[in-house]
Amino acid sequence: MQCIADGEIQKVLIVTAENGFFAQSKMPWSSMDVLKIKSNLERYNFTVQIVTFAYLKENIKNIRGYAIIYTSSQRIEHKKYIEDIMYFFKDLNVLIPSYENLLAHDNKGFQALLNKKYSLGMADCDYYCDVSELASSIGEKFPLVYKSVNGASSMTVKLIRNYTELEKANTLPLVISKAEIKRVLKKYIFKSRYNAKWEEYLCFGRSRFVLQKFIPDLKFDFKVLVFGEKYYLLKRFVADNDFKASGSGLHSRDIGSEKYIILDFAKQIKRKIKSHIYSLDIGIKNDIPFLIELQMTHVGPVTLTESESYYTYKGFWEEVKAKSNLEDEFSSAIKEYLNESNTYCS
């Protein structure tokens, strides 16, 4: 681990895709205004350069002592590409997000591991590579919430009541590819070329997943965005005949009496795991909050951009009635992240 002393980080690289894209604005395919972020950071006395991932690759041996600001992607192969590149800069620079936080983006399994490391208060969950890894005692724990490792907007989240439903949830959709056609031909026609042991070996771990404790009778949860010192809240309701609020499209800015419990819990998470921004899905049961999921890069900003107020903590929670601009708050969060401690370790 490489640590960089306070005061050394004045040079900043903002890394975009080759076309200048920097995720995300309102939608995953819309970019933030990188020039505005650059201008904001320059007003904070940072020296800022906008570069691309291609630039990082070409200078893989030379870049050190920088704050490197970049974002992730919801396109799986693109995200892996970003992970591969950023690995080589994590020890001699300050990555924003950190490499650990990058791995957590849209990876529910890695989030479960972060919960074990940092005690984030996530609803009981565990991460599996294959259904065969489950102990026979799993039947005692149903119903459970099944989550495919990759995926956003609750698209792969299912309530399962027994082992049969678990196997069904973990079955990959049939994809007609050349590889699949060759496999079927070998198995049923060119049998001498079919290797059952090889196929059995390849079938392990095709669809990693998380199993999380099911909390019954939840009527709503909360989306909390944290940008630096500012907290933005949205209350999301569970649709009829469903069990989850994420993706329901039913929400309210009237947070209710639970808001201070949620804000205190979000502040505790911020203390436990360092990031510039956070997107937290938080539930509450019998006045006890719990974390459902979290992201620390490439977060949907609507809870911020459409809010008429935000909360800050000054020994007590104060609601400030004001609109917020995404690029301004993102820049301010970067400044706080770099200034909040004496030493930065990537």
Side-chain angles (χ1 to χ4, degrees), residues 222 233-235 237 251-259:
F222 298 87
L233 272 63
L234 185 69
K235 190 173 187 176
F237 296 94
H251 48 78
S252 173
R253 297 285 175 175
D254 183 9
I255 306 302
S257 60
E258 301 93 352
K259 65 182 175 183

Side-chain angles (χ1 to χ4, degrees), residues 58-76:
E58 292 303 314
N59 292 276
I60 202 165
K61 294 181 179 180
N62 305 322
I63 295 174
R64 58 182 62 198
Y66 283 83
I68 304 179
I69 304 167
Y70 67 104
T71 61
S72 184
S73 175
Q74 287 184 252
R75 297 169 289 197
I76 294 174

Side-chain angles (χ1 to χ4, degrees), residues 33 43 59 65 84 146 168 230 256 276 278 304 324 329:
D33 185 340
R43 284 201 297 272
N59 292 276
D84 290 345
Y146 171 94
K168 183 178 179 181
K230 297 182 180 181
H276 59 311
Y278 306 77
L304 181 156
S324 296
E329 302 308 331

Side-chain angles (χ1 to χ4, degrees), residues 82-343:
I82 293 171
E83 290 173 358
D84 290 345
I85 294 172
M86 300 314 300
Y87 172 85
F88 294 94
F89 300 93
K90 65 183 179 63
D91 294 328
L92 297 176
N93 302 275
V94 174
L95 300 190
I96 308 175
S98 70
Y99 194 72
E100 187 176 70
N101 292 353
L102 169 65
L103 295 180
H105 176 239
D106 270 4
N107 185 330
K108 298 176 178 66
F110 197 84
Q111 291 172 33
L113 298 177
L114 284 183
N115 180 60
K116 291 179 182 294
K117 179 179 179 179
Y118 293 109
S119 301
L120 299 176
M122 186 174 285
D124 290 346
C125 61
D126 216 336
Y127 177 27
Y128 300 95
C129 187
D130 192 89
V131 173
S132 66
E133 294 181 314
L134 295 173
S136 58
S137 60
I138 191 70
E140 302 169 7
K141 299 182 179 180
F142 290 120
L144 292 165
V145 177
Y146 171 94
K147 299 179 178 182
S148 177
V149 164
N150 298 305
S153 302
S154 73
M155 292 183 292
T156 62
V157 179
K158 301 174 184 177
L159 180 63
I160 54 171
R161 299 172 179 82
N162 52 57
Y163 194 83
T164 300
E165 290 185 359
L166 172 58
E167 288 186 309
K168 183 178 179 181
N170 194 238
T171 300
L172 290 171
L174 179 63
V175 177
I176 306 301
S177 63
K178 288 183 179 181
E180 183 63 21
I181 292 172
K182 286 181 179 180
R183 189 189 71 82
V184 172
L185 288 174
K186 287 180 181 179
K187 184 174 183 179
Y188 294 106
I189 299 177
F190 306 109
K191 297 182 180 181
S192 63
R193 298 172 60 185
Y194 182 76
N195 187 324
K197 289 293 185 181
W198 175 247
E199 294 297 332
E200 181 183 352
Y201 171 79
L202 291 180
C203 283
F204 179 87
R206 284 188 167 183
S207 182
R208 293 167 294 141
F209 63 96
V210 168
L211 291 179
Q212 192 167 51
K213 180 181 179 181
F214 173 60
I215 311 295
D217 303 320
L218 291 181
K219 304 299 182 186
F220 50 82
D221 70 12
F222 298 87
K223 169 67 73 178
V224 183
L225 290 190
V226 184
F227 276 59
E229 298 179 347
K230 297 182 180 181
Y231 293 68
Y232 301 83
L233 272 63
L234 185 69
K235 190 173 187 176
R236 308 184 302 184
F237 296 94
V238 176
D240 293 340
N241 302 315
D242 203 349
F243 68 96
K244 57 189 182 298
S246 176
S248 72
L250 305 172
H251 48 78
S252 173
R253 297 285 175 175
D254 183 9
I255 306 302
S257 60
E258 301 93 352
K259 65 182 175 183
Y260 297 116
I261 296 175
I262 298 301
L263 287 166
D264 285 342
F265 185 61
K267 183 160 66 72
Q268 290 173 17
I269 293 172
K270 186 173 185 284
R271 287 175 176 171
K272 291 177 178 179
I273 184 167
K274 185 179 177 183
S275 185
H276 59 311
I277 61 174
Y278 306 77
S279 176
L280 309 173
D281 293 353
I282 298 174
I284 188 167
K285 181 77 171 182
N286 299 326
D287 290 332
I288 299 175
F290 58 91
L291 181 64
I292 301 170
E293 289 183 19
L294 79 163
Q295 306 286 355
M296 291 163 285
T297 183
H298 202 299
V299 306
V302 174
T303 300
L304 181 156
T305 56
E306 296 187 2
S307 179
E308 299 291 336
S309 66
Y310 59 84
Y311 295 85
T312 60
Y313 188 76
K314 300 178 179 178
F316 59 92
W317 287 107
E318 178 183 8
E319 183 177 10
V320 179
K321 298 287 187 180
K323 292 284 289 182
S324 296
N325 175 270
L326 175 60
E327 286 80 5
D328 289 345
E329 302 308 331
F330 184 85
S331 306
S332 180
I334 296 291
K335 174 176 176 277
E336 180 191 329
Y337 183 85
L338 289 173
N339 291 339
E340 68 181 4
S341 62
N342 292 327
T343 303

